[in-house]
Amino acid sequence: MNTPARYSGIAIALHWLIALAVVSAFTLGIYMHDLPLSPHKLKLYSYHKWIGITVLGLMLARIGWRISHIPPPPLEMPEWQRSAVQAVHLGLYLLLLVVPLSGWLMSSALGFKVVWMGLVPLPDLIAKNKELGEILKEVHKSLDFVLLGLLTVHIAAALKHHFVDRDGTLQRMLPSFSRKSQ
């Protein structure tokens, strides 16, 4: 359960699993982009797709959890900050859904199957269309960098609250391993 001081263990776990997956997918995407075509590069693309589909699934779970569980009340802050927090969180939620979907659409349009974890073939979302696939590739890449920008703002704000304001914002989303705080 969420408490006034903390998010629930499930909300915290989903937050950090998604964060780890996004950092992994972005790092892998940057690394593999300029590699020459090889079996190694194709394997990395598969891993990148697996991570993206996992992020999509985790985000759907997170949204379901968020809808069914009231979050802790926001800490005291100026109204402009509260508005900025809401805008950044909304942008993150949207992009964490749209970026994986844009990758899936791109793969479909370029004629590359998405097979989650090498086990579950996912349906193509659109018919093969090379021109559209190239456009979707640019859309996917652009959205990745917008997501990176919002994540940078989110992380900077969390660190500012922790080290400058010392207001407990970051502690509400950090895992707690003691039984007392559960």
Side-chain angles (χ1 to χ4, degrees):
M1 295 293 294
N2 292 318
T3 68
R6 297 186 53 76
Y7 285 87
S8 69
I10 291 175
I12 292 169
L14 288 169
H15 176 273
W16 290 106
L17 284 170
I18 292 166
L20 178 64
V22 167
V23 168
S24 299
F26 190 82
T27 303
L28 187 56
I30 293 294
Y31 170 72
M32 70 186 186
H33 183 265
D34 290 327
L35 290 176
L37 185 60
S38 68
H40 176 66
K41 182 175 183 171
L42 294 175
K43 185 182 344 175
L44 295 179
Y45 266 92
S46 290
Y47 295 162
H48 182 78
K49 291 177 189 183
W50 299 355
I51 296 168
I53 295 301
T54 301
V55 167
L56 181 60
L58 290 171
M59 276 307 298
L60 292 172
R62 183 162 184 190
I63 290 168
W65 186 260
R66 178 74 162 72
I67 289 169
S68 63
H69 294 79
I70 298 170
L75 298 175
E76 282 296 316
M77 64 180 71
E79 188 56 38
W80 72 267
Q81 277 186 355
R82 188 174 323 284
S83 296
V85 166
Q86 290 172 341
V88 169
H89 282 144
L90 178 61
L92 287 171
Y93 273 64
L94 286 173
L95 285 168
L96 289 168
L97 293 169
V98 172
V99 168
L101 282 172
S102 71
W104 189 356
L105 284 165
M106 174 187 64
S107 289
S108 296
L110 292 174
F112 299 111
K113 286 299 283 180
V114 176
V115 183
W116 185 69
M117 303 298 276
L119 300 171
V120 181
L122 301 179
D124 289 333
L125 296 179
I126 54 176
K128 186 174 179 180
N129 179 327
K130 186 171 171 53
E131 294 78 26
L132 180 58
E134 292 301 320
I135 292 168
L136 288 167
K137 184 186 291 187
E138 291 305 313
V139 167
H140 184 66
K141 187 166 73 172
S142 298
L143 290 173
D144 281 336
F145 284 101
V146 173
L147 176 59
L148 179 63
L150 278 182
L151 287 172
T152 301
V153 169
H154 180 68
I155 292 165
L159 294 174
K160 179 228 180 235
H161 279 281
H162 186 72
F163 291 110
V164 176
D165 299 342
R166 300 181 185 270
D167 64 7
T169 297
L170 183 59
Q171 285 90 353
R172 293 170 12 135
M173 192 49 87
L174 288 176
S176 173
F177 299 104
S178 71
R179 289 181 173 228
K180 277 195 288 188
S181 65
Q182 299 293 329

